Amino acid sequence: MNANHQRLCNSPEWAEHLREEILPRLLNGIELGDEMLELGPGPGGATEVLRKRVRHLTALELDEAAARVLADRLSGNDVTVIHGDCVRTGLPDASFDSIGAFTMLHHIPTDVHQHAALAEAFRLLKPGGVLIGSDSLASNDLHHFHVNDTYNPVEPAWLMTQLLALGFQPIAVTVGEYD
């Protein structure tokens, strides 16, 4: 993660944006169940909201230092932080009622790896489980913001195709701003 990205993701403003803008829209009317997996929590801006909506939250973070910091901060809560890769989690099949991926899919370096992460999420969900997430649309500004960082934006049509091919249903993909 480059310095720009590090600064933004660790900022109180980003945590507030997740808490006040992104998550309320996504979670409105969605039942997350008891057991949830959050993929790529980074510093945990979404984690703070999610842990209050489920009995137990598991946060899977690729960056070992970020995982350690998040685990230390959330010690004593109903959150388990694991250092690991969302493409190969090593977690048992059908372990979670819900899985969340919030502004992290564009950090997965290739379409093949993104597909593998979605396939892993499908494997980890209990029957009837829900995958919920958000990401940014590709833009020149975001491309420049991610200089010297992984930036592989997820096109909505590609995402829909992948989810259908993996067996997710029903599927809703929303594009653009909404109120």
Side-chain angles (χ1 to χ4, degrees), residues 95-145:
S95 300
F96 298 97
D97 300 303
S98 57
I99 297 177
F102 305 101
T103 62
M104 60 73 65
L105 286 175
H106 69 272
H107 289 288
I108 298 176
T110 68
D111 293 354
V112 170
H113 284 98
Q114 287 173 341
H115 175 86
L118 294 169
E120 183 72 350
F122 188 77
R123 182 187 71 78
L124 293 172
L125 279 172
K126 294 176 183 176
V130 63
L131 173 65
I132 188 165
S134 65
D135 218 305
S136 303
L137 293 173
S139 75
N140 198 37
D141 287 343
L142 283 176
H143 174 75
H144 291 294
F145 182 81

Side-chain angles (χ1 to χ4, degrees), residues 1 9-10 38-45 47 60-63 66-67 69-70 73 81 104:
M1 188 180 300
C9 289
N10 285 309
E38 181 185 9
L39 302 175
T47 310
L60 180 72
E61 175 57 50
L62 180 62
D63 183 276
V69 168
L70 187 60
R73 193 178 88 216
V81 179
M104 60 73 65

Side-chain angles (χ1 to χ4, degrees), residues 10-168:
N10 285 309
S11 73
E13 293 81 13
W14 179 251
E16 180 181 356
H17 177 68
L18 284 169
R19 186 177 59 248
E20 302 295 326
E21 299 294 326
I22 293 176
L23 293 174
R25 293 173 179 175
L26 291 172
L27 298 174
N28 185 30
I30 302 295
E31 177 56 48
L32 299 176
D34 291 331
E35 295 288 332
M36 183 175 195
L37 174 65
E38 181 185 9
L39 302 175
T47 310
E48 290 294 335
V49 172
L50 299 172
R51 73 182 184 87
K52 296 173 185 172
R53 299 265 319 246
V54 295
R55 185 177 55 78
H56 183 260
L57 177 64
T58 300
L60 180 72
E61 175 57 50
L62 180 62
D63 183 276
E64 189 172 6
R68 191 171 40 255
V69 168
L70 187 60
D72 289 346
R73 193 178 88 216
L74 295 174
S75 178
N77 290 297
D78 290 332
V79 178
T80 301
V81 179
I82 299 170
H83 168 243
D85 188 341
C86 65
V87 171
R88 290 173 300 284
T89 65
L91 297 168
D93 292 356
S95 300
F96 298 97
D97 300 303
S98 57
I99 297 177
F102 305 101
T103 62
M104 60 73 65
L105 286 175
H106 69 272
H107 289 288
I108 298 176
T110 68
D111 293 354
V112 170
H113 284 98
Q114 287 173 341
H115 175 86
L118 294 169
E120 183 72 350
F122 188 77
R123 182 187 71 78
L124 293 172
L125 279 172
K126 294 176 183 176
V130 63
L131 173 65
I132 188 165
S134 65
D135 218 305
S136 303
L137 293 173
S139 75
N140 198 37
D141 287 343
L142 283 176
H143 174 75
H144 291 294
F145 182 81
H146 286 85
V147 150
N148 298 321
D149 195 1
T150 301
Y151 179 58
N152 182 27
V154 178
E155 292 298 323
W158 180 89
L159 177 62
M160 178 69 83
T161 302
Q162 300 309 304
L163 294 173
L164 283 168
L166 289 166
F168 283 95

